[in-house]
Amino acid sequence: MSRLTAAISYTGGKDCTLALHRVREQGIAVKVLVTFSPPLTDPKSFKAHALNIIEKQAESLGISHTVCIIDGPNYLASYQREITHLRQTYGIELLVTGDILPVCSNFMERAVTGTGVELMRPLWQQPQQGLLEDMWKRGFEILVTCVNLEKIPEEVLDKVKKDFGVGQSLSQEGLNAVSKEKSDISPTGEFGELHTMVLDCPLYKSKIVVTSEIKQEDIFRFLSIESVQLINKD
């Protein structure tokens, strides 16, 4: 019996990385990591999920990576064209996402319509705390790369700076400190409160090390990535 084949919708963050681990454990063959992106001007303009980190993540995983450009005004049709192209190029049957909640009105369900590709969401509507515990159990090393200051205000960040902040490792202690000050945040940042990149996980052949500086523009505090390297695991 042949294995199912998939593309992973991949930003390099914690949720899509957990989804990747789970589908691999189900015996699904992951053919490609795909980053859906607006038309590229400057790759360094990505505040939350830097492309130069994603490229090193793909290298460490040993999986091909591609960028699919999504352009308007008909974004749905653009997604459908790109997903169809992924099927034709890589022979995929599934598009796997790390979606947990229907924060985008189930857009991806509509995006796969008519493409010949089925949507798979291994984390869908599962308890967020349980998903975090799975990440901790697997030994994910997760970097906080961006915070929305409208959702986690500066005064909250000042109070919890010992345990949580841009440029720090995401931890349960840090999330607990934030939720103590602001109880309405999503534990996994599903409403854009925070964004992450995974620096190490079981599927990586090498760890990722970054040099960066913290910047702030409008409502976002984020890491500006200066360099990315792969290093051997101890």
Side-chain angles (χ1 to χ4, degrees):
M1 183 175 177
S2 61
R3 298 167 68 192
L4 289 170
T5 56
I8 306 285
S9 179
Y10 193 76
T11 63
K14 60 185 178 13
D15 299 340
C16 62
T17 302
L18 181 58
L20 169 62
H21 281 70
R22 288 188 173 186
V23 298
R24 284 281 294 267
E25 289 166 358
Q26 295 178 42
I28 293 170
V30 176
K31 296 293 187 179
V32 64
L33 308 173
V34 54
T35 302
F36 294 104
S37 168
L40 290 174
T41 51
D42 178 7
K44 295 181 180 178
S45 66
F46 288 84
K47 294 179 175 61
H49 304 287
L51 278 176
N52 53 353
I53 296 181
I54 294 175
E55 289 165 356
K56 290 296 186 183
Q57 289 170 317
E59 182 180 345
S60 185
L61 288 164
I63 304 174
S64 297
H65 173 250
T66 189
V67 176
C68 287
I69 302 301
I70 303 300
D71 206 355
N74 191 337
Y75 293 99
L76 179 60
S78 185
Y79 264 96
Q80 290 170 336
R81 283 194 302 271
E82 293 300 325
I83 294 169
T84 299
H85 180 69
L86 288 170
R87 176 179 59 78
Q88 294 167 342
T89 303
Y90 297 97
I92 64 165
E93 301 160 274
L94 304 171
L95 177 65
V96 177
T97 76
D99 296 336
I100 300 171
L101 297 177
V103 293
C104 297
S105 302
N106 287 336
F107 179 86
M108 292 308 292
E109 285 187 353
R110 292 178 282 136
V112 298
T113 301
T115 66
V117 175
E118 183 180 342
L119 182 65
M120 184 178 187
R121 297 178 290 193
L123 317 185
W124 185 244
Q125 295 189 335
Q126 295 187 22
Q128 294 176 55
Q129 186 57 46
L131 295 174
L132 287 168
E133 289 170 2
D134 193 2
M135 296 173 198
W136 310 142
K137 181 180 177 181
R138 294 173 188 268
F140 279 22
E141 183 180 330
I142 304 167
L143 178 68
V144 179
T145 56
C146 185
V147 167
N148 184 324
L149 297 174
E150 285 189 340
K151 298 177 183 293
I152 306 180
E154 199 158 354
E155 56 268 25
V156 172
L157 290 175
D158 286 342
K159 291 179 181 178
V160 302
K161 60 185 178 182
K162 183 175 74 71
D163 298 305
F164 177 89
V166 172
Q168 296 185 42
S169 293
L170 186 69
S171 67
Q172 190 63 58
E173 293 76 17
L175 290 170
N176 290 346
V178 174
S179 63
K180 183 178 178 181
E181 299 295 332
K182 199 171 191 302
S183 61
D184 61 345
I185 72 159
S186 160
T188 55
E190 291 308 293
F191 299 102
E193 296 96 332
L194 61 102
H195 297 277
T196 64
M197 296 295 271
V198 175
L199 301 182
D200 195 16
C201 63
L203 288 178
Y204 283 2
K205 298 176 179 66
S206 305
K207 294 180 63 172
I208 293 169
V209 174
V210 302
T211 58
S212 60
E213 63 174 320
I214 298 174
K215 293 187 177 181
Q216 189 165 318
E217 291 180 11
D218 301 322
I219 62 170
F220 297 104
R221 182 175 295 175
F222 63 98
L223 281 187
S224 176
I225 306 301
E226 297 171 349
S227 69
V228 189
Q229 292 182 309
L230 295 178
I231 63 169
N232 292 330
K233 293 191 177 186
D234 295 332

